[in-house]
Amino acid sequence: MQKSPPILEEIAKDIYLVSIPVPLMQQVNCYLIRGENGFTLIDTGLYTKEGIEIWEDLISSGIFIEKIVLTHFHIDHIGLAKWFKEKHRIPVYISSAGYEEMKQRRKGDYTDWIVSIFQLHDGFRSFKESIEYQIAMEEQLLYAYEFEPDGLWADNQYIQLGNEAYETIWTPGHSPDHFCFYNHERELMVIGDHVIDQLSPVILLESSSDMNPLMSYYNSLEKIKEYSIKLALSGHGHPIENVNKRIEEIKAGHQYRIEQILASLKDEEKTAGQMSQEIYRKANTKLAYGPIMSTIIRCIYLESIGKLRSECIDGKRVYRLAD
Ligand SMILES: [Zn+2]
């Protein structure tokens, strides 16, 4: 059978988009940046048969990948890094912060930690549900982090992508290790999952290295506003031309949900689990943990700025409006 041609689209000079299908999220954007020594690949896609086929097609069609640079450690971005390294001997670079998160996940106690967070915030309807969640998480994490990166970078450095130097900008929030890369001459930013067209990036409490991710996210959005950006290349969806406008839309979306939380607590105290059931009544059941997580991160943020108070009652964190 004839293989379908690889999905490859030049979206800026010498920068090609490769869209890799991802279950539930539809697709992840990977970018091939042309250079004298080959292409730099930004992000790899999830470890799936479909993803591997796309990359095998591209490599056999003559695309030479010099190195891989990762925006952050989430499995839809890092998932095939180990495969590239082992199968095609392509070096992989990640931030020091990303490497720390990888090592943390390898210890195997990560899912216990995240389950305990959901339990504390009343996020599971049953014990069975918590076990099912844990098993699904462990399956996903099993493969992705079992490799050693070939190089690390930190905030405020320059990294070579293709032929050009890009500034590394640490933008925690969506993940504790998230990085954007900025090309000063072209006013072009590889923005990863920090700002996405159409959908609001999920903000996850997923690491003890960042216990107030929404606060981090807001700070990282401010950081980005200092750059003049003509084109931003996101990890999902379309390229963005007006980043500041999109930032304001995303912030307004959070603010809308924050107002709902404050309204929900007007007359009685509640857990994040109770509030999320109330606020997201029509939520897609496949992504049921998203609404709970979003409510948790907003409650933590609101408590940190003095709008809410909480106490632990019978093992559950209960929120009320601050006096
Ligand atoms: Zn992500």
Side-chain angles (χ1 to χ4, degrees), residues 72 74 76-77 174 193:
H72 62 300
H74 285 166
D76 52 327
H77 297 259
H174 169 72
D193 287 358

